Amino acid sequence: MNVITYGTFDLFHIGHLKLLERCKALGASLTVAVSTDEFNSKSKNKITAQPCSERMQIVEAIKYVDRVIPESCWEQKRDDVIKYNIDVFVIGDDWRGKFDFLEDLCQVVYLPRTDGISTTERKQQIVSKFSDESEIATA
Ligand code: C2G
């Protein structure tokens, strides 16, 4: 079974890892489409801490991942499912229902998100945790 998932994977964290681990448990091969910088800024209203090239390299190095492709638009999913002969589309349940239109092509699975972690929260933790440190360092 071939599995695919999509995401930004900025500041890669345990929530991303657990998602990819569960994706790979569903099939023999896992393709991950990583959102490009342009797609993030123009269509997802996201500014990432890391450029797409870095985010792709990090995802590619994860042992559960077999292939990494760019995600440059919302509309590419159907073509990707056909091109890569995908059997299962997987994504976190924050997207529940949003990709049911793929069900004529492949199984669509929404997995529970990992609680207590998100890139946004991680950014806030870093700012609050280390801003004092930088003040002391420059004092
Ligand atoms: N995720 C998770 N648990 C978290 C955070 C994220 O399971 N605590 C999952 C998300 O549900 C998603 C994947 O990890 O399946 C990547 O999350 P993001 O990088 O935030 O990706 P997103 O912005 O949801 O992009 O076309 C689909 C989009 O590209 C998905």
Side-chain angles (χ1 to χ4, degrees):
M1 300 272 267
N2 297 322
V3 182
I4 196 166
T5 192
Y6 292 72
T8 299
F9 299 102
D10 193 27
L11 298 178
F12 196 86
H13 56 64
I14 192 69
H16 297 142
L17 185 64
K18 285 179 175 295
L19 189 282
L20 295 179
E21 181 181 24
R22 287 176 291 161
C23 286
K24 189 56 186 285
L26 295 173
S29 92
L30 173 58
T31 297
V32 183
V34 176
S35 310
T36 62
D37 296 330
E38 188 179 8
F39 179 48
N40 273 315
S41 57
K42 287 195 176 155
S43 310
K44 294 174 75 175
N45 196 26
K46 277 193 174 186
I47 298 170
T48 55
Q50 296 168 299
C52 184
S53 57
E54 252 184 65
R55 291 183 283 110
M56 290 183 92
Q57 284 178 67
I58 290 169
V59 170
E60 211 153 31
I62 302 293
K63 68 179 182 181
Y64 306 118
V65 178
D66 299 287
R67 176 193 293 117
V68 171
I69 62 173
E71 179 188 26
S72 51
C73 65
W74 294 113
E75 298 78 17
Q76 71 182 71
K77 294 183 175 69
R78 290 188 72 86
D79 293 342
D80 292 345
V81 167
I82 294 163
K83 179 176 179 181
Y84 297 106
N85 189 26
I86 298 297
D87 304 290
V88 191
F89 169 95
V90 188
I91 201 158
D93 61 4
D94 43 322
W95 293 91
R96 183 171 296 285
K98 298 288 191 307
F99 303 113
D100 293 354
F101 64 85
L102 293 169
E103 283 175 340
D104 62 315
L105 292 175
C106 64
Q107 195 185 342
V108 176
V109 175
Y110 299 101
L111 295 175
R113 280 171 66 94
T114 300
D115 287 335
I117 180 75
S118 71
T119 301
T120 307
E121 283 170 289
R122 183 49 43 93
K123 285 177 186 170
Q124 288 159 352
Q125 285 163 2
I126 291 168
V127 168
S128 57
K129 205 166 182 182
F130 298 101
S131 54
D132 314 347
E133 191 174 274
S134 61
E135 280 152 22
I136 295 165
T138 54

